[in-house]
Amino acid sequence: MSGPNAPLSQAVILAGGQATRLRPYTDTRPKAMVEVADRPIIDYQLEWLAGYGVEHVVVSCGYKAEVLREHLESHPTGPETTLLVEDEPLGRGGALRYAASGLRESAEPYYALNGDVLTWFPLDEFTAFHRAQGGVATLALAQYQTSWGIVDVTDDGAIEGFTQSPMLPFWINAGVYVFERAATELLPAKGDHESTTFPDLAAEGRLFGYRINGFWRGVDTVKDVKEASEQIPALRGAQQAG
């Protein structure tokens, strides 16, 4: 299948990093193998990608790579996976570039995911948006939800109420991308793409953002694991009921 609605068949997942803020979960495993609602994060990601036609996923890792390798080798279903192990920390941009070296030869774009993201939104719409914009890369954007409570207060200081952890009118990088093949060589060999590649592409008008309409959660701390483990069963239960 070709054309604007053709699904993408390949993706990369960044599963490196020691994730010290997730200890003790990451004492014995990489972040992507941390279990949320009794499943490793990477299993949710592979299942989501497969549901939209992805057939091959390159997983880049470093810390506790053997744990991830054993898990992927025993994975009975889902996309074919290729594991690449970083000999030294490359930074997120360098890791993306390194992971892309394991993709099969093709002219089609590919997805890229941070290994600590749980999300469900329509990847076919994300891809169509990317193609329609004609850019080199498209970022998925999640609406920012503050962890702080907001106080509703009048000009004279009277407090009218409180709102716990509201969504704010700002958008953040959700850690999910569509990259054209030409974007790969623009990524740094070492370092962070968010402070190098992305600002350059934005200045050139070749970077776009797709606002997610769906569940998104970054898993960075022990609190995130606990909260996501409550959110996901409730979310899936509501979907089945609907």
Side-chain angles (χ1 to χ4, degrees):
M1 181 179 178
S2 60
N5 296 321
L8 304 187
S9 64
Q10 297 194 86
V12 302
I13 296 176
L14 300 188
Q18 296 191 29
T20 56
R21 291 194 297 168
L22 272 169
R23 288 177 177 169
Y25 294 115
T26 52
D27 284 344
T28 58
R29 69 196 69 192
K31 184 187 288 191
M33 284 296 297
V34 170
E35 292 191 356
V36 175
D38 300 320
R39 292 185 70 193
I41 294 171
I42 197 167
D43 283 7
Y44 290 107
Q45 295 182 326
L46 292 173
E47 180 182 70
W48 179 51
L49 291 168
Y52 284 94
V54 173
E55 301 171 353
H56 178 226
V57 178
V58 179
V59 182
S60 173
C61 65
Y63 175 71
K64 300 291 183 183
E66 66 280 1
V67 177
L68 191 52
R69 184 188 303 279
E70 182 178 351
H71 178 71
L72 293 176
E73 288 178 350
S74 65
H75 214 274
T77 60
E80 178 186 348
T81 57
T82 299
L83 188 70
L84 296 182
V85 181
E86 299 176 25
D87 293 329
E88 59 178 325
L90 301 174
R92 290 182 299 171
L96 277 171
R97 183 166 182 155
Y98 177 58
S101 69
L103 294 170
R104 296 169 181 156
E105 290 293 328
S106 172
E108 74 170 9
Y110 60 94
Y111 299 119
L113 284 71
N114 290 345
D116 58 358
V117 168
L118 288 169
T119 186
W120 292 277
F121 64 88
L123 284 173
D124 50 353
E125 295 180 11
F126 183 36
T127 305
F129 175 87
H130 168 79
R131 287 174 167 145
Q133 300 307 314
V136 173
T138 299
L139 287 62
L141 306 176
Q143 192 169 7
Y144 178 66
Q145 183 174 19
T146 178
S147 59
W148 300 93
I150 299 297
V151 179
D152 300 318
V153 58
T154 65
D155 291 340
D156 61 5
I159 294 178
E160 296 181 327
F162 303 86
T163 305
Q164 183 58 43
S165 302
M167 304 298 288
L168 300 183
F170 303 104
W171 296 85
I172 61 174
N173 181 351
V176 182
Y177 316 109
V178 176
F179 285 134
E180 292 293 327
R181 293 301 177 116
T184 303
E185 62 188 30
L186 302 178
L187 295 167
K190 279 188 177 182
D192 191 345
H193 56 291
E194 292 187 17
S195 60
T196 56
T197 308
F198 283 176
D200 290 344
L201 289 175
E204 297 165 3
R206 298 197 291 166
L207 185 69
F208 293 88
Y210 171 86
R211 294 175 176 87
I212 292 174
N213 181 16
F215 176 81
W216 179 88
R217 178 89 196 213
V219 183
D220 296 313
T221 66
V222 171
K223 180 182 178 183
D224 291 328
V225 174
K226 293 178 178 178
E227 290 183 353
S229 293
E230 296 172 354
Q231 286 179 305
I232 289 175
L235 175 69
R236 297 211 154 173
Q239 290 174 339
Q240 292 172 358

